[in-house]
Amino acid sequence: MKTKRGLNGCVLKWIAIILMTIDHFGASILENFLLNVWDVSPLGDLLRDYPDYWNLVLMADRVIRKIGRPAFPVFCFFIVEGFCHTRNVKNYAVRLGIFALISEVPFDLAIFGTPFHWGHQNVFFTLFLGLLLIWYLRDVSTSTEWSLAGTLAVCCAAEVLHVDYGAFGVALIGVYYILRELPVLQAGAGAILSAWEMPAPLGSLLLLFYNGERGRQPKWFFYWFYPVHITILVILRKLLFHM
């Protein structure tokens, strides 16, 4: 069988994973402990006594965090792809929900330095809510009015629960689903919706290179990578700072 030109789903997911890992290194190591942005680092504001080092770390952090921004739109897109191709949406939703719970303690430790931080939930919760939204749009909603009401309700839930990327993240999944048959418009609308956090739109534009093929993917790898790599960052920080 001749391989189509472009990037298959596995390649796109790997790109997103690499970008996300770089981003989380900045958030966990540079921001949380070196720059102490959440005021929870045992190092305190030690670097502030050395302005040259502080500015250098701050510059590195800004670059690293921007490198990671395009990852999220790619993950949102593949929630839609998974939804459209899965044989059992219920099982798909259960998997996302389970990994949201599994990932929360490592996420809170990595980003906020505490095992339980109720003010911000990991991105699996965002993807879970986005899946519920498009499931509702396809199988429950009976009119435009009900679709809008359901979308508003799920977006409000995202804000109340303080999930990563909030209502914008959930809405992005909804937009990708609605425009799934119009890839150019889908990518453009996604880029506009994600423009609130630059350069995230690049992730949406990257989807124009998707060739529609799944590629060879380990069944559970992309689920487990998220909690495992965050846990490794927590351990790495412990080793680096002995704390």
Side-chain angles (χ1 to χ4, degrees), residues 18 54 88 103 115 124 160 200 213 222 233 236:
I18 292 170
W54 168 269
N88 192 319
S103 302
F124 262 116
V160 171
E213 294 184 345
F222 293 109
L233 286 174
L236 176 62

Side-chain angles (χ1 to χ4, degrees), residues 74-145:
V74 178
F75 289 125
C76 289
F77 173 79
F78 281 105
I79 288 297
V80 174
E81 283 290 290
F83 171 73
C84 292
H85 293 95
T86 187
R87 296 177 181 177
N88 192 319
V89 181
K90 181 179 178 180
N91 286 348
Y92 188 23
V94 168
R95 287 197 299 272
L96 287 176
I98 289 174
F99 276 91
L101 296 174
I102 290 173
S103 302
E104 188 59 21
V105 169
F107 175 80
D108 287 343
L109 284 170
I111 306 302
F112 303 105
T114 177
F116 300 103
H117 180 82
W118 306 113
H120 198 118
Q121 320 310 327
N122 73 78
V123 75
F124 262 116
F125 284 102
T126 315
L127 302 179
F128 173 75
L129 289 177
L131 177 64
L132 293 186
L133 171 60
I134 59 180
W135 193 5
Y136 169 83
L137 292 177
R138 189 188 71 178
D139 295 349
V140 179
S141 176
T142 56
S143 67
T144 300
E145 291 78 10

Side-chain angles (χ1 to χ4, degrees), residues 23-24 65 69 72 104 107 111-112 119-127 129 158-159 161-170 196-197 226:
D23 178 49
H24 286 166
R65 297 308 304 278
R69 295 303 86 194
F72 180 68
E104 188 59 21
F107 175 80
I111 306 302
F112 303 105
H120 198 118
Q121 320 310 327
N122 73 78
V123 75
F124 262 116
F125 284 102
T126 315
L127 302 179
L129 289 177
E159 291 296 316
L161 295 173
H162 304 292
V163 302
D164 215 7
Y165 297 96
F168 282 99
V170 172
W196 60 278
E197 192 169 38
Y226 187 85

Side-chain angles (χ1 to χ4, degrees), residues 17-27 63-65 67-68:
I17 274 181
I18 292 170
L19 297 178
M20 176 186 68
T21 303
I22 294 171
D23 178 49
H24 286 166
F25 176 84
V63 171
I64 286 174
R65 297 308 304 278
I67 288 173

Side-chain angles (χ1 to χ4, degrees), residues 5-8 12 202 204-212:
R5 292 184 177 180
L7 304 175
N8 63 40
L12 284 170
L202 293 177
S204 191
L205 298 179
L206 181 64
L207 302 176
L208 292 172
F209 297 95
Y210 179 48
N211 63 12

Side-chain angles (χ1 to χ4, degrees), residues 212-224:
E213 294 184 345
R214 184 174 183 270
R216 298 182 64 180
Q217 301 180 18
K219 182 176 181 181
W220 292 99
F221 176 80
F222 293 109
Y223 286 96
W224 278 109

